Amino acid sequence: MVETIRWTDDGVVMVDQTRLPREEVFVTCRTYREVADAIRRMVIRGAPAIGVAAAMGVALGVLRADGEDLDAQMEEICGELAGTRPTAVNLFWAIRRMKDVYGSMRGHPIEEVRRRLVEEARQVYREDIAINEAIGRNGADLVPDGKTVLTHCNAGALATAGYGTALGVIRAAVAAGKSIDVFADETRPFLQGARLTAWELQRDGIPTTLITDNMAGHFLKSGRIGCVVVGADRIAANGDVANKVGTYSVAVLAKENGIPFYVAAPVSTLDLSLASGDEIPIEQRDTAEVTTVFGTPVAPEGIPVENPAFDVTPHRYVTAIITERGVARPPFGESLARISGSGTTGGRF
Ligand code: MRU
């Protein structure tokens, strides 16, 4: 399986996801600003992977800080990383976690603070892989044997420290001996499905068919699809789910055709401080992502364009939310509160 991100003595190394699948190139971020830039440009993307990158970015920032007024520098580092992308709450959760560790080291020599922050960032990375494996174990039973699973965007190894959330469920179902294949929506405009999901599943030898986003309804009606599994960027207290734009349409079509719609996500993606998905900030990205394909214009110059990167699927379309702590079912207000326990709200910082 591809290594999405790792901590090294030289800095934070990540596979450049803007260049996949044509080239497998690794970039090294040597400063926290380079990590922030990589998140912004989607060299690394996917909610859990963004969280891991942010944790490593904070550690890198403090490691390279000159030690003068470290509190102010820590604020600057965290502020810059937090300003990269607004929707995936894992980013803010990870920064909060690093800030808490920093706060707990008050009065310690700077070398100890640095060592502790690096250790915490590496721990966030290790935990994320274990969490995804647990999500996979908890979700594998839900995948019907002998059917096709439809997924949207990339919620795989590339979107996490490894293994994946939605693709983790698929990997675990395959490992349990189920005979399944996958339909991957191409996921315009950034093509995470075509470029990333198709690539990583093909490398794993999991039978995968690529479809364009507007074919999803046709196949959901065909009787071939056994369930839909997607990831999430933020889940509100009532179970509304923000995920890659286009997820909502898939969810409505799944319900219309009586197909279960599952969301696979770690508890760190829950933001129980938000009552509903209406409060989730939706990132608006550069319109050039819509008007061009790999630099080639596909629309007339000057045409007005919208480019929301995410949409919100109302909870009534969600059959269940698969987490590392178990499967939450409606009413989500109760099941998510129970699963998250006290103190987990996705992370204000
Ligand atoms: O814009 P992206 O590529 O970061 O969006 C990613 C998604 O929407 C994923 O489905 C989500 O982050 C879950 S990843 C396990």
Side-chain angles (χ1 to χ4, degrees):
M1 208 176 302
V2 66
E3 212 176 355
T4 308
I5 182 167
R6 72 172 174 273
W7 177 270
T8 72
D9 289 343
D10 288 339
V12 181
V13 176
M14 9 178 127
V15 63
D16 186 344
Q17 300 193 28
T18 64
R19 293 162 81 168
L20 287 172
R22 285 165 301 149
E23 296 173 296
E24 200 175 323
V25 176
F26 289 83
V27 294
T28 304
C29 300
R30 292 189 165 79
T31 66
Y32 79 88
R33 287 212 161 90
E34 287 178 8
V35 174
D37 186 56
I39 296 172
R40 213 176 279 115
R41 292 191 305 108
M42 292 171 68
V43 168
I44 189 157
R45 31 65 52 201
I50 292 172
V52 174
M56 289 186 177
V58 173
L60 194 58
V62 174
L63 203 59
R64 303 273 196 263
D66 57 21
E68 285 293 312
D69 196 357
L70 198 56
D71 285 356
Q73 290 190 53
M74 178 73 180
E75 279 306 310
E76 198 177 312
I77 293 163
C78 293
E80 167 113 16
L81 287 161
T84 51
R85 299 193 70 191
T87 305
V89 76
N90 307 61
L91 176 80
F92 308 102
W93 169 86
I95 294 171
R96 172 78 267 159
R97 182 164 160 169
M98 297 301 282
K99 275 192 144 183
D100 287 348
V101 168
Y102 178 80
S104 74
M105 295 299 287
R106 206 159 283 289
H108 288 255
I110 186 162
E111 279 316 318
E112 265 181 47
V113 176
R114 288 180 169 138
R115 220 181 359 258
R116 184 66 192 83
L117 287 174
V118 171
E119 179 45 36
E120 191 67 14
R122 299 178 85 160
Q123 181 64 15
V124 170
Y125 167 91
R126 284 190 296 269
E127 275 176 21
D128 188 58
I129 297 174
I131 284 167
N132 293 328
E133 288 169 351
I135 290 172
R137 280 194 298 278
N138 291 340
D141 277 355
L142 300 173
V143 177
D145 201 2
K147 294 286 242 181
T148 299
V149 181
L150 187 137
T151 190
H152 189 74
C153 194
N154 173 267
L158 287 165
T160 60
Y163 202 68
T165 56
L167 299 194
V169 170
I170 290 168
R171 287 192 166 98
V174 170
K178 289 192 173 171
S179 167
I180 54 172
D181 71 308
V182 177
F183 268 32
D185 285 354
E186 70 170 347
T187 318
R188 270 284 284 156
F190 212 72
L191 298 174
Q192 289 94 330
R195 296 189 303 102
L196 309 176
T197 297
W199 181 77
E200 72 166 84
L201 290 179
Q202 191 181 57
R203 270 171 60 125
D204 264 18
I206 296 175
T208 301
T209 302
L210 178 64
I211 60 171
T212 64
D213 301 325
N214 48 355
M215 295 174 189
H218 170 76
F219 286 109
L220 285 162
K221 188 155 69 63
S222 72
R224 288 168 67 174
I225 313 286
C227 71
V228 175
V229 188
V230 297
D233 288 83
R234 200 187 288 228
I235 300 172
N238 68 347
D240 289 355
V241 173
N243 191 48
K244 179 53 55 196
V245 71
T247 302
Y248 173 39
S249 325
V250 172
V252 173
L253 287 160
K255 189 168 180 122
E256 168 70 17
N257 289 283
I259 296 166
F261 179 88
Y262 297 118
V263 174
V267 168
S268 55
T269 301
L270 302 179
D271 188 351
L272 303 191
S273 72
L274 304 185
S276 84
D278 297 343
E279 297 171 52
I280 298 175
I282 301 294
E283 177 182 8
Q284 307 293 321
R285 289 191 66 85
D286 191 338
T287 55
E289 290 179 358
V290 176
T291 56
T292 62
V293 175
F294 296 117
T296 304
V298 293
E301 222 169 287
I303 192 82
V305 174
E306 296 273 358
N307 188 17
F310 302 95
D311 62 25
V312 174
T313 299
H315 59 88
R316 65 179 176 280
Y317 295 106
V318 179
T319 309
I321 298 172
I322 307 161
T323 77
E324 71 274 27
R325 295 192 196 155
V327 177
R329 291 190 181 270
F332 290 114
E334 287 163 28
S335 59
L336 291 179
R338 208 168 36 243
I339 271 183
S340 82
S342 59
T344 305
T345 59
R348 286 281 156 277
F349 88 102

